[in-house]
Amino acid sequence: MLSVKGLKANVGDKEILKGLDLEIGRGEVHAIMGPNGSGKSTLAHVLSGREGYTVTGGSVTFEGQDLLDLEPEARAHLGLFLAFQYPVELPGVNNTYFLKAALNAIRKARGEPELDAVSFLRLMKEKLKVLHLDDSLLKRPVNFGFSGGEKKRNEIFQMAILEPKLAILDETDSGLDIDALRIVADGVNALRSPERSVILVTHYQRLLDYIQPDYVHVLAKGQIIRSGGKELALELEDKGYGWLGAEEAA
Amino acid sequence: MKATPGNGFAPWLPDDGPAAATGLAWFDSRRAKARAQVRDQGIPTTKHEAWRYTSLTRLLEQGFTPTAEATTPLQPRDLEPLLVPGLDAYRVVLVNGRFIPGLSDLQHLPAGVRVGGLAQILKSDPDALKDRLNGVVGESQPLFAALNTAGLDDGVVVLLERGAQLERPIELIHLSVGMDEPRVAQPRHIVVLEAGAQASLIERYVSLGEALYCTNSVLELSLGRDAVLKHQRIQTESANAFHIAGLYLSLGAGSRYQCVTVGLGAAWARTDLNVRFAGEHAECDLQGLYLAGDRQLMDFHLDVDHRLPQCSSRENFKGILYGKGRAVFDGRVYVAKDAQRTDAAMSNRNLLLSEGAEVDTKPQLEINADDVKCSHGTTVGQIEPEQLFYLRSRGLSAPLARRMLCLGFAGEILDCLTPDALRDQVAEQVGSRLELAPID
Amino acid sequence: MSASTAVEAIVESEYEHGFITEIESDTFLPGLDEGVVRAISARKGEPEFLLEYRLRAFRHWQTLATPRWAHVHYPEIDYQAISYFSAPKSQDGPKSLDEIDPALRETYNKLGIPIEEQMALSGIAVDAVFDSVSVATTFRTKLAEAGVIFCAISEAVHDYPDLIKQHLGSVVPHTDNFYAALNAAVFSDGTFVYVPKGVRCPMELSTYFRINARNTGQFERTLIVAEAGSHVSYLEGCTAPMRDENQLHAAVVELIAMDDAEIKYSTVQNWYPGDAQGRGGIYNFVTKRGDCRGARSKISWTQVETGSAITWKYPSCLLRGDDSVGEFYSVAVTKGRQQADTGTKMIHLGRNTRSTIVSKGISAGEGQQTYRGLVRIAAKAQGARNHTQCDSLLIGDRCAANTFPYIEVKNPSAQMEHEATTSKISDDQLFYCRSRGLTTEDSVSMIVNGFCKQVFNQLPMEFAVEAQKLLSISLEGAVG
């Protein structure tokens, strides 16, 4: 489904990703771990098409298409979803309105009929129920005045509505207390399906206590230096990144 | 010329006969030009935007004429009651606008630092001032700057060479004493910090007795690259005084300027702060506090010109109005086209405490670039009843509680004053004014 | 693509409503003197008091100079080159829509405001002004049953001369300013609304204005009187065809609210803004003022200003009655070479008067925008409250946004708060929306609509939809 080959990317003049390889199959959950500054968030941003990163080498194909040539919205249309580490506030933009517009843009791009207001409302209610979320969320402006936990839950809610084929969760666990973490993790688990792949970008093992990955990769100095099963995460927890020669970057 | 309102400001200027010529061609021609500007501008009325809320009638009615005496019978011990206890500073004293070396204390100035009287330097080393005098004010001078140029008699010059640093502050005392007739003094100060220089300047405007007089001072300041200046202005003049001050600032790349200005005295006070950024990454922080009671007028005008990118400015002014006190705040932040990444925040907050008090405030933004962070906020209000109740429920009398809350309001600005000796004295002056204020 | 470049890449779109209707007009030759004022009055068969009023205003106007203080620039207007009267040929006045000139109706259809549909669908009474004379008034009967008078002011002059004599010029005197004086001298037509004591107007009142004939100034006069305990909501929407010469528009709107009365006045203004080089476009110099004369009265202004080459407009409230309320909600968009100097005045005279100001300015391209506002709390206005919020959104690096508030407080129990911010659409916001699948254009439109939400919420539903659409259309051609 996603194939990253020899990906190199710069921020300004500085090379952050230095030839990264990653293969993700349908329905798989991959965790990408690594010390601060290893390039985890850069990977998430490059995949979703954020500005400010220059790809200098390698390729990324998603569902057989060259992802790197696409605008961010086109990637979303293909089924890519990034849950932001710092979700952006949109004052005055109603959450429901925003999501309906986004969903219909995606449906339209796929040649599917747009949802009318009633069907959309039904869909939202259904998803809220699955995620055990409160419907007050729908009436508020997107992320505006939300607590850290609310913002992360809103990201998961958006993911539930937009039903991506591949979801990238960028440090979704950061800044969450244990209860909030559990709610977010339950949400992600509820959305797991044989059709949906997930990339968990995280610094800590603790998220993986709640979301069991199929594969764990260690990213250091811009490359995947080790891949394995979920037991790799436990090993990292015990021994730290130093054990792999991946010292915390300055 | 006879001093009547009909003559406008002409009586403020000395005679311009041949005897008045100094022999310095550039100086005489600048004065003549300024005199023409005064004449051409006429008397601004409240139809002029800069004078919308401040009428000049009361000022003109006083019939001020220039001071003549260049000397004073005052002795150093006469100054003692006017000093800040425990303030360790180089001291420059002007009496009625004239630099008095005998009252000043400029011993042990380090190398690379020059402090002296403007009149004296004009005689001994005029070339040092040729590019400096009006260098920041510029060609098109507002009325009171033009008056000052045309009528200037003395002032203080402070020059710090590249990298020079002063450990102790320079204290500039403007002392005014009563004269036979209502007199106007028009000192001009020139302060230059070359690249990397650092200094602290404390200007204090004080009077002996309840004298009636006018001071129209102009200060031109330029900071070179990465220079740092802390500038504090404390105005506690006589209740009959008229105070006009124009500050003209040019801030070089990477320089940092902080001004803390406190207006407590004078019957009628107008302060204009003109800031121009002359290099990128400069920072300007203007903090102000004013109290106006009785029939006092406190008028502050700020004009901050972000003509270059990546500079930041803060303007934070707070006022307490009581009795029949009036305040005017007119703050303008201008961001030129292409002055991207400008960061400017202006705030003006006022406590209006009694019937008859008034505040007119006009915070303005003119933005011609898009990648900027600019804001302003203004409030006019009273002491919060819940806060008052809280203090009273802890046993404080209502007047004391009010005073305490007012001091708390002023505290944000007072706490910017350094050293503590100066802060403590000004806080005490604010406190005692509030004690007399009918704010119940 | 960054926010600014992305936004700038959005294509220029031609003014949607630009076309000229071919219709026979009965138009005065250009020029203005006492004879023209008399001729206007005579043509309308006005009573003596009105002719006298016009002449007083004209004589006063001759003593005035054009105001210069606004932050706008335009070539000197030659008031002698303007024609001061223009009326469609059919002078008898149509009795029904069928009688309306087909070319005129086609105009409305092109504008997307088919009158019949409007009436049938939304129950709005439509008083359409084509050039200077009212040509269609509907729903009269229903309103008449409620006792509400809603008619052209030229008719009101004949049918209700006492009301006109009593109220005309009582809020905006002919001496108020240059354009108000001009309007008082030559006003062509406009709308009169009278809501009697205790009556709640049974429907939203709406008028569509349209400027058409070449070189014709348009000088509407609107007067709305709400007697004690009454309530009325009035909607005004405008659009104008594309043309070369600048057109002057100097309207006067007067609102009077007695005890417990409420007037809600909403405007969507989309006059021709001129072409990309700034040629053509309407000069919109309007004087709008509401008088909260009675205790507990309320006047609320809401405006969405996307059109005109120059807008000079300060809908204001005189809060004279105790506990009266004034509101001003504004969205103004300037793009291309448009200039707007707009805002409000809230004059607090009565006790416990309250006012709210929310101004949202959007500046794109080389648009110049100024918020100018006055909040005056008089010495006797015990317990007055004001809250003001002025936000500017800048799109592109060649536009300008100014904020010039004037705040004058003379009462020690007053509470006044003013906040102003300036921002741009951030790259982060844009990327966030796009990563959820929205196009750049939709993202911008969504963010801008969010920025304006507080104001749109004040509009009646059908107007809010129109306003949002207008804003999106307006920003499509925003930058280049």
Coordinates of all heavy atoms in Angstrom, one line a residue, chain C residues 382-432:
Chain C
Q382 N -24.3 57.7 33.0 CA -23.9 56.8 34.1 C -24.1 55.3 33.7 O -25.1 55.0 33.1 CB -24.9 57.2 35.3 CG -24.5 56.6 36.6 CD -23.3 57.3 37.2 OE1 -22.9 58.3 36.8 NE2 -22.6 56.6 38.2
G383 N -23.1 54.5 34.1 CA -23.2 53.1 33.8 C -23.1 52.6 32.4 O -23.5 51.5 32.0
A384 N -22.6 53.5 31.5 CA -22.5 53.1 30.1 C -21.4 52.0 29.9 O -20.4 51.9 30.7 CB -22.1 54.3 29.3
R385 N -21.7 51.2 28.9 CA -20.8 50.1 28.6 C -20.5 50.0 27.1 O -21.4 50.2 26.3 CB -21.4 48.7 28.9 CG -21.8 48.5 30.4 CD -20.6 48.1 31.2 NE -20.9 47.9 32.6 CZ -20.9 49.0 33.5 NH1 -20.6 50.2 33.1 NH2 -21.2 48.8 34.7
N386 N -19.2 49.8 26.8 CA -18.9 49.6 25.4 C -17.9 48.4 25.2 O -17.0 48.3 26.1 CB -18.3 50.8 24.7 CG -17.7 50.5 23.4 OD1 -16.5 50.3 23.3 ND2 -18.5 50.4 22.3
H387 N -18.1 47.6 24.3 CA -17.1 46.6 23.9 C -16.8 46.7 22.4 O -17.8 46.7 21.6 CB -17.5 45.2 24.3 CG -16.4 44.2 24.0 ND1 -15.4 44.0 24.9 CD2 -16.2 43.5 22.9 CE1 -14.5 43.1 24.3 NE2 -15.0 42.8 23.1
T388 N -15.6 46.9 22.1 CA -15.2 47.0 20.7 C -14.2 46.0 20.3 O -13.2 45.8 21.0 CB -14.6 48.4 20.4 OG1 -15.6 49.4 20.8 CG2 -14.3 48.6 19.0
Q389 N -14.4 45.3 19.2 CA -13.4 44.4 18.7 C -13.2 44.7 17.2 O -14.1 44.7 16.4 CB -13.9 43.0 18.9 CG -12.8 42.0 18.6 CD -13.4 40.6 18.8 OE1 -14.3 40.3 19.5 NE2 -12.8 39.7 18.0
C390 N -11.9 45.0 16.8 CA -11.6 45.3 15.4 C -10.5 44.3 15.0 O -9.4 44.4 15.5 CB -11.0 46.6 15.3 SG -12.1 48.0 15.7
D391 N -10.9 43.5 14.0 CA -9.8 42.5 13.6 C -9.6 42.7 12.1 O -10.6 42.9 11.3 CB -10.3 41.1 13.8 CG -10.5 40.8 15.3 OD1 -9.6 41.3 16.1 OD2 -11.4 40.2 15.7
S392 N -8.4 42.7 11.7 CA -8.0 42.8 10.3 C -7.3 41.5 9.8 O -6.5 41.0 10.5 CB -7.1 44.0 10.1 OG -7.6 45.2 10.6
L393 N -7.7 41.1 8.6 CA -7.1 40.0 8.0 C -6.4 40.4 6.7 O -7.1 41.0 5.9 CB -8.2 38.9 7.7 CG -7.7 37.5 7.3 CD1 -6.9 36.8 8.4 CD2 -8.8 36.7 6.8
L394 N -5.2 40.2 6.6 CA -4.4 40.7 5.4 C -4.1 39.5 4.5 O -3.7 38.5 5.0 CB -3.2 41.4 5.8 CG -3.4 42.7 6.6 CD1 -2.3 42.9 7.7 CD2 -3.4 43.8 5.6
I395 N -4.4 39.7 3.2 CA -4.1 38.6 2.3 C -3.2 39.2 1.2 O -3.6 40.0 0.4 CB -5.4 38.0 1.6 CG1 -6.3 37.5 2.7 CG2 -5.0 36.9 0.6 CD1 -7.7 37.0 2.2
G396 N -1.9 38.8 1.2 CA -1.0 39.4 0.3 C -0.2 40.6 0.9 O -0.7 41.2 1.9
D397 N 0.9 40.9 0.3 CA 1.8 41.9 1.0 C 1.7 43.3 0.4 O 2.5 44.2 0.7 CB 3.2 41.4 1.0 CG 3.7 41.2 -0.5 OD1 3.0 41.5 -1.4 OD2 4.9 40.8 -0.6
R398 N 0.6 43.6 -0.4 CA 0.5 44.9 -1.0 C -0.7 45.6 -0.5 O -1.0 46.7 -0.9 CB 0.5 44.8 -2.5 CG 1.8 44.5 -3.1 CD 1.7 44.1 -4.6 NE 0.8 42.9 -4.6 CZ 0.1 42.5 -5.7 NH1 0.0 43.3 -6.7 NH2 -0.6 41.4 -5.6
C399 N -1.4 45.0 0.4 CA -2.7 45.6 1.0 C -2.4 46.4 2.3 O -1.2 46.3 2.8 CB -3.7 44.6 1.2 SG -3.2 43.2 2.2
A400 N -3.3 47.1 2.7 CA -3.1 47.8 4.0 C -4.4 47.8 4.8 O -5.5 47.7 4.3 CB -2.8 49.3 3.6
A401 N -4.1 47.8 6.1 CA -5.3 47.8 7.1 C -4.9 48.8 8.2 O -3.9 48.7 8.8 CB -5.5 46.4 7.7
N402 N -5.8 49.7 8.4 CA -5.6 50.7 9.4 C -6.7 50.6 10.5 O -7.9 50.3 10.1 CB -5.6 52.1 8.8 CG -4.6 52.3 7.7 OD1 -3.5 51.8 7.8 ND2 -5.0 52.9 6.6
T403 N -6.4 51.0 11.7 CA -7.4 51.0 12.7 C -7.3 52.3 13.5 O -6.2 52.6 14.0 CB -7.1 49.8 13.7 OG1 -6.9 48.7 13.0 CG2 -8.3 49.6 14.6
F404 N -8.3 53.2 13.4 CA -8.3 54.5 14.0 C -9.5 54.6 15.0 O -10.5 55.3 14.6 CB -8.4 55.6 12.9 CG -7.2 55.6 11.9 CD1 -7.5 56.0 10.6 CD2 -5.9 55.2 12.3 CE1 -6.4 56.0 9.7 CE2 -4.9 55.3 11.4 CZ -5.1 55.7 10.1
P405 N -9.4 54.1 16.1 CA -10.5 54.3 17.1 C -10.3 55.6 17.9 O -9.2 56.0 18.2 CB -10.4 53.1 18.0 CG -8.9 52.7 17.9 CD -8.3 53.2 16.6
Y406 N -11.4 56.2 18.1 CA -11.4 57.4 19.0 C -12.2 57.1 20.2 O -13.4 56.7 20.0 CB -11.9 58.6 18.3 CG -11.1 59.1 17.1 CD1 -11.1 58.4 15.9 CD2 -10.3 60.2 17.2 CE1 -10.4 58.9 14.9 CE2 -9.6 60.7 16.2 CZ -9.6 60.0 15.0 OH -8.8 60.4 13.9
I407 N -11.7 57.2 21.4 CA -12.5 56.8 22.6 C -12.5 58.0 23.6 O -11.4 58.5 23.9 CB -11.8 55.6 23.2 CG1 -11.9 54.4 22.2 CG2 -12.5 55.2 24.5 CD1 -10.8 53.4 22.3
E408 N -13.6 58.5 23.9 CA -13.7 59.7 24.7 C -14.6 59.3 25.9 O -15.8 59.0 25.7 CB -14.3 60.9 24.0 CG -13.5 61.1 22.7 CD -14.2 62.2 21.8 OE1 -15.2 62.7 22.1 OE2 -13.6 62.4 20.7
V409 N -14.1 59.3 27.1 CA -14.9 58.9 28.3 C -14.9 60.0 29.3 O -13.8 60.4 29.8 CB -14.3 57.6 28.9 CG1 -15.2 57.1 30.0 CG2 -14.2 56.5 27.8
K410 N -16.1 60.4 29.7 CA -16.2 61.5 30.7 C -17.0 61.0 31.9 O -17.4 61.9 32.7 CB -16.9 62.7 30.1 CG -16.0 63.3 29.0 CD -16.6 64.7 28.6 CE -15.8 65.2 27.4 NZ -16.3 66.4 26.9
N411 N -17.3 59.8 32.0 CA -18.1 59.3 33.2 C -17.3 58.2 33.9 O -16.9 57.3 33.3 CB -19.5 58.8 32.7 CG -20.3 58.4 33.9 OD1 -20.0 57.5 34.6 ND2 -21.3 59.2 34.2
P412 N -17.2 58.4 35.2 CA -16.3 57.5 36.0 C -17.0 56.1 36.3 O -16.3 55.3 36.9 CB -16.1 58.3 37.3 CG -17.3 59.1 37.5 CD -17.7 59.5 36.1
S413 N -18.2 55.9 35.8 CA -18.7 54.6 36.0 C -18.7 53.8 34.7 O -19.2 52.7 34.6 CB -20.2 54.6 36.5 OG -21.0 55.3 35.6
A414 N -18.1 54.4 33.6 CA -18.1 53.8 32.3 C -17.2 52.6 32.3 O -16.2 52.6 32.9 CB -17.7 54.8 31.3
Q415 N -17.6 51.6 31.5 CA -16.7 50.5 31.2 C -16.5 50.4 29.7 O -17.5 50.2 29.0 CB -17.3 49.2 31.7 CG -17.5 49.0 33.2 CD -16.2 48.5 33.8 OE1 -15.2 48.3 33.1 NE2 -16.2 48.3 35.1
M416 N -15.3 50.6 29.3 CA -15.0 50.6 27.9 C -13.8 49.6 27.6 O -12.8 49.7 28.3 CB -14.7 52.0 27.4 CG -14.6 52.2 25.9 SD -13.2 51.5 25.1 CE -11.9 52.1 26.1
E417 N -14.0 48.8 26.6 CA -12.9 47.9 26.2 C -12.8 47.9 24.7 O -13.8 47.8 24.0 CB -13.2 46.4 26.6 CG -13.1 46.2 28.1 CD -13.6 44.7 28.4 OE1 -13.9 44.0 27.5 OE2 -13.6 44.4 29.6
H418 N -11.6 48.0 24.3 CA -11.3 48.0 22.8 C -10.2 47.1 22.6 O -9.2 47.2 23.2 CB -11.0 49.5 22.4 CG -10.5 49.5 21.0 ND1 -11.3 49.9 19.9 CD2 -9.3 49.2 20.4 CE1 -10.6 49.9 18.8 NE2 -9.4 49.4 19.1
E419 N -10.4 46.2 21.6 CA -9.3 45.3 21.2 C -9.1 45.3 19.7 O -10.1 45.4 19.0 CB -9.6 43.9 21.6 CG -9.6 43.5 23.0 CD -10.2 42.1 23.2 OE1 -9.4 41.2 23.0 OE2 -11.4 42.0 23.5
A420 N -7.9 45.3 19.2 CA -7.7 45.2 17.8 C -6.6 44.3 17.5 O -5.6 44.2 18.2 CB -7.4 46.6 17.2
T421 N -6.8 43.5 16.5 CA -5.7 42.6 16.0 C -5.5 42.6 14.5 O -6.4 43.0 13.8 CB -6.0 41.1 16.4 OG1 -7.1 40.7 15.6 CG2 -6.3 40.9 17.9
T422 N -4.3 42.3 14.1 CA -4.1 42.2 12.7 C -3.4 40.8 12.4 O -2.5 40.4 13.2 CB -3.1 43.3 12.2 OG1 -3.7 44.5 12.5 CG2 -2.8 43.2 10.8
S423 N -3.9 40.1 11.5 CA -3.3 38.8 11.2 C -3.4 38.4 9.7 O -4.0 39.1 9.0 CB -4.0 37.7 12.0 OG -5.4 37.7 11.7
K424 N -2.8 37.3 9.4 CA -3.0 36.8 8.0 C -3.4 35.4 8.1 O -3.4 34.8 9.2 CB -1.7 37.0 7.2 CG -0.5 36.2 7.8 CD 0.7 36.3 6.8 CE 1.6 35.1 6.9 NZ 2.4 35.0 5.7
I425 N -3.8 34.8 7.0 CA -4.1 33.4 7.0 C -2.8 32.6 7.1 O -1.9 32.8 6.3 CB -4.8 33.0 5.7 CG1 -6.2 33.7 5.7 CG2 -5.0 31.5 5.7 CD1 -6.9 33.4 4.4
S426 N -2.6 31.9 8.2 CA -1.3 31.3 8.4 C -1.1 30.0 7.5 O -2.1 29.4 7.1 CB -1.2 30.9 9.8 OG -1.9 29.7 10.1
D427 N 0.1 29.8 7.2 CA 0.4 28.6 6.4 C -0.1 27.3 7.1 O -0.5 26.4 6.4 CB 2.0 28.5 6.2 CG 2.5 29.6 5.3 OD1 1.6 30.2 4.6 OD2 3.7 29.7 5.1
D428 N 0.0 27.3 8.4 CA -0.4 26.2 9.2 C -1.9 25.9 9.0 O -2.3 24.8 8.8 CB -0.2 26.4 10.7 CG 1.3 26.2 11.0 OD1 2.0 25.7 10.1 OD2 1.7 26.6 12.1
Q429 N -2.7 27.0 9.0 CA -4.2 26.8 8.9 C -4.5 26.3 7.5 O -5.3 25.4 7.3 CB -4.9 28.1 9.1 CG -4.9 28.6 10.5 CD -5.6 29.9 10.7 OE1 -5.5 30.8 9.8 NE2 -6.3 30.1 11.8
L430 N -3.8 26.8 6.5 CA -4.1 26.4 5.1 C -3.7 25.0 4.9 O -4.4 24.2 4.3 CB -3.2 27.4 4.2 CG -3.8 27.6 2.8 CD1 -5.2 28.0 2.9 CD2 -3.0 28.6 2.1
F431 N -2.5 24.6 5.4 CA -2.0 23.2 5.2 C -3.0 22.2 5.9 O -3.3 21.2 5.4 CB -0.6 23.1 5.7 CG -0.1 21.7 5.7 CD1 0.1 21.0 4.5 CD2 0.0 20.9 6.9 CE1 0.5 19.7 4.4 CE2 0.4 19.6 6.8 CZ 0.7 19.0 5.6
Y432 N -3.4 22.6 7.1 CA -4.3 21.8 7.9 C -5.6 21.4 7.1 O -6.0 20.3 6.9 CB -4.7 22.4 9.2 CG -5.4 21.6 10.2 CD1 -4.7 20.6 11.0 CD2 -6.8 21.6 10.3 CE1 -5.4 19.8 11.9 CE2 -7.5 20.8 11.3 CZ -6.8 19.9 12.0 OH -7.4 19.2 12.9

